[in-house]
Amino acid sequence: MTNSTIAARLLDVIEHDILPLTARGVSLGNKVFGAAILRKSDLSLVIAETNNELENPLWHGEVHALKRFYELGEKPNTKELIFLSTHEPCTMCMSAITWAGFDNFYSFFSHEDSRDAFAIPHDLKILKEVFGLEPGGYRRNNAFWNSFFIADLVESEDDPLKSKLKAQTARIKAAYDDLSSNYQSSKSGNDIPLN
Ligand SMILES: [Zn+2]
């Protein structure tokens, strides 16, 4: 696993570890957002999770992953870990990642994608209403962490890996399109406050 680049490994974790959990979560009526925690040393998976807002509206994929992480008996120091979020974290999750001591997070989709491709405008609406910030108006690199978009990392790879990762990116997006349609068609029946 150590010969895998970080972009390649994070895409694999989304496709093979997070997406199956999310497919199940969405079939129950939860949102499409997921997260995972990996070791920096060998990029091995510590935990993957998905949104569980039907149980608790705070169980976004990221916070749900953190909750499960802190339930582990033995766990690495968060400074030794990578935080992966399928979608750019909302302000709650971004703060949770900060309070947990991570010095990084990596996202696949952006806040704009959540609004435009997933019909979930709440991240950007909270950023604007509560913090007075436009999209992208928070500090993506700051004293606590540096954040990255996986698409930018893919662009920095060389072919043939870059082409392979772009094909994988397209495959992952198609899978999320289907899950998003499922969620949107079922959401009128749920009690999630910001559905
Ligand atoms: Zn969140």
Side-chain angles (χ1 to χ4, degrees):
M1 214 174 279
T2 45
N3 58 5
S4 176
T5 70
I6 188 153
R9 176 61 182 147
L10 295 182
L11 289 177
D12 275 344
V13 168
I14 292 173
E15 188 168 26
H16 303 301
D17 296 294
I18 300 175
L19 264 170
L21 296 173
T22 299
R24 185 163 175 279
V26 169
S27 75
L28 298 171
N30 288 295
K31 289 201 186 88
V32 301
F33 307 104
I37 296 170
L38 295 83
R39 290 178 186 80
K40 288 179 183 176
S41 57
D42 60 359
L43 303 183
S44 61
L45 184 69
V46 177
I47 206 157
E49 255 306 341
T50 196
N51 180 286
N52 191 15
E53 283 184 69
L54 288 179
E55 180 184 300
N56 179 332
L58 306 186
W59 294 162
H60 290 189
E62 299 92 325
V63 171
H64 199 216
L66 288 168
K67 166 191 146 55
R68 293 276 319 283
F69 173 73
Y70 284 105
E71 289 168 354
L72 294 175
E74 279 195 29
K75 50 195 166 295
N77 187 297
T78 49
K79 289 283 177 262
E80 296 162 16
L81 300 172
I82 289 170
F83 199 97
L84 167 61
S85 188
T86 59
H87 296 65
E88 187 176 4
C90 76
T91 46
M92 171 181 75
C93 293
M94 206 179 280
S95 291
I97 291 165
T98 310
W99 282 102
F102 288 84
D103 64 11
N104 68 87
F105 65 81
Y106 293 76
S107 310
F108 183 79
F109 292 105
S110 67
H111 281 161
E112 288 89 339
D113 291 331
S114 295
R115 178 190 63 196
D116 302 337
F118 290 86
I120 307 278
H122 315 304
D123 308 297
L124 285 174
K125 200 167 178 192
I126 291 171
L127 206 59
K128 178 71 178 175
E129 289 296 321
V130 180
F131 299 95
L133 294 173
E134 298 300 327
Y138 70 93
R139 303 183 67 212
R140 288 193 163 120
N141 297 288
N142 58 59
F144 294 102
W145 37 258
N146 293 303
S147 63
F148 309 89
F149 284 109
I150 296 169
D152 295 334
L153 305 181
V154 168
E155 284 301 330
S156 71
E157 301 286 2
D158 295 320
D159 273 324
L161 178 62
K162 183 164 151 178
S163 302
K164 178 175 172 267
L165 297 182
K166 285 196 164 187
Q168 188 174 15
T169 294
R171 202 159 67 226
I172 290 170
K173 285 188 174 178
Y176 275 103
D177 268 350
D178 286 345
L179 291 173
S180 178
S181 299
N182 292 351
Y183 175 72
Q184 290 298 330
S185 62
S186 76
K187 76 174 187 181
S188 64
N190 73 39
D191 291 332
I192 298 170
L194 301 183
N195 71 6

